[in-house]
Amino acid sequence: MHWFRSITAGLEDEKYPQFKMGNMICFILSYPMTCNPDDVLANEMQMRQMNWYCSDVMVRGEYPSYAEAVWKKNGVKPVIQDGDLEDIKNGTVDFYTFSYYMSNATSSDPNAEKTGGNLACGNKNPYLESSDWGWQIDPKGLRIALEMIYDRYRIPLMVVENGLGAYDKKEADGSVNDDYRIDYLRKHIAEMRKAVEEGVDLMGYTPWGCIDLVSASTGEMAKRYGFIYVDKYDDGTGDLSRSKKKSFDWYKNVIATNGEEL
């Protein structure tokens, strides 16, 4: 990302000044499991390395203050050549783009209960419900993330992935009544509205995704995200025909009303 941004920065600024460049961060909000200082410290380290390490480089144009300590702890000795740090400083992004599906909790207790997640496991938050795959459903966490990110960077934000992977059942009449998906998206969009009211510059939102496809995290069709049902199954059967789920027309109306009708 660094080299691509530094190369395109000159092209953008000189020939196409109307172009804007974003990034992509898989943002996984994490809470300390308790007010035990050990949990708070462990959570701070989790947030740093999972969420802020890369975006500080992309947005601020420099490595965070703790980067060298992380490198040393992991036995990493990066080769930084003349001009590299200048390229990073000159290649910052214009807006911050991220995915949000869930949140985690962090505990200093090695025996604390674990739960599933997007690319990383965390500790189970007793205050949250979970998806069929153990991802903790946290609409308010999206608002917290938006306000936290915007307060840190003060550039426009865009949520480019947000959705619910679930076992969808096709009824005898061909319908798929995914009210759970509608509920998930409705609550997340409502929290985005609150973040905007608090001053966050949110430039856009796109859910994941419009159509069922093989899940990147589990490699299966059974984990469905789309508004459109695809007749394909994990054993390879299915004719790939497509049909609208209940969420399709609901979200169509959300778009038409710019989120005023949820």
Side-chain angles (χ1 to χ4, degrees):
M1 175 63 194
H2 305 157
W3 64 265
F4 177 75
R5 182 63 180 91
S6 62
I7 291 172
T8 57
L11 179 64
E12 170 194 335
D13 296 337
E14 294 176 12
K15 293 187 177 181
Y16 303 99
Q18 74 274 25
F19 285 5
K20 299 297 181 182
M21 185 69 67
N23 57 346
M24 178 58 199
I25 297 292
C26 173
F27 196 94
I28 302 179
L29 180 68
S30 182
Y31 306 108
M33 181 63 76
T34 71
C35 55
N36 182 335
D38 289 339
D39 287 357
V40 175
L41 181 59
N43 188 69
E44 175 65 18
M45 297 302 294
Q46 176 74 4
M47 286 290 293
R48 282 181 173 186
Q49 295 188 41
M50 280 298 299
N51 296 311
W52 303 131
Y53 180 92
C54 291
S55 60
D56 276 357
V57 178
M58 296 173 182
V59 181
R60 292 176 168 173
E62 58 188 33
Y63 285 100
S65 58
Y66 52 84
E68 291 189 17
V70 173
W71 299 341
K72 183 177 181 180
K73 180 179 179 180
N74 291 278
V76 175
K77 297 180 179 180
V79 177
I80 301 177
Q81 300 178 346
D82 291 343
D84 285 351
L85 297 181
E86 288 78 7
D87 284 343
I88 292 174
K89 177 62 72 173
N90 294 329
T92 54
V93 297
D94 302 299
F95 58 95
Y96 179 108
T97 319
F98 69 107
S99 64
Y100 178 89
Y101 294 95
M102 53 166 288
S103 66
N104 273 332
T106 303
S107 173
S108 57
D109 179 3
N111 298 315
E113 184 180 358
K114 305 290 185 182
T115 188
N118 186 19
L119 304 179
C121 275
N123 295 113
K124 186 173 178 60
N125 188 331
Y127 298 99
L128 299 177
E129 297 179 353
S130 298
S131 74
D132 294 333
W133 274 262
W135 295 23
Q136 296 176 119
I137 299 172
D138 186 9
K140 289 183 180 178
L142 177 54
R143 176 186 174 186
I144 294 169
L146 285 165
E147 295 180 0
M148 186 181 293
I149 296 166
Y150 189 67
D151 186 60
R152 188 182 186 95
Y153 296 130
R154 292 301 178 91
I155 60 174
L157 311 183
M158 183 173 181
V159 180
V160 293
E161 290 185 34
N162 171 240
L164 177 67
Y167 290 112
D168 290 339
K169 179 183 178 182
K170 199 168 187 178
E171 305 293 345
D173 62 0
S175 64
V176 177
N177 299 310
D178 56 340
D179 293 286
Y180 40 85
R181 180 167 292 109
I182 293 173
D183 182 66
Y184 175 99
L185 294 171
R186 176 187 289 122
K187 290 178 179 177
H188 282 76
I189 295 171
E191 292 297 332
M192 287 193 298
R193 178 185 295 163
K194 293 176 185 177
V196 171
E197 291 171 352
E198 289 292 324
V200 172
D201 184 358
L202 180 60
M203 60 185 289
Y205 168 81
T206 53
W208 185 273
C210 66
I211 190 169
D212 290 343
L213 73 169
V214 176
S215 170
S217 60
T218 64
E220 57 188 330
M221 279 297 299
K223 189 179 184 182
R224 298 176 182 270
Y225 283 90
F227 302 122
I228 301 171
Y229 189 91
V230 177
D231 190 69
K232 195 68 175 178
Y233 307 96
D234 290 341
D235 61 3
T237 60
D239 60 11
L240 294 176
S241 60
R242 305 173 184 186
S243 57
K244 295 191 297 183
K245 303 177 188 178
K246 185 175 181 179
S247 59
F248 182 97
D249 287 320
W250 172 82
Y251 191 65
K252 180 180 178 180
N253 187 62
V254 172
I255 296 172
T257 63
N258 196 31
E260 291 299 320
E261 295 182 12
L262 298 177

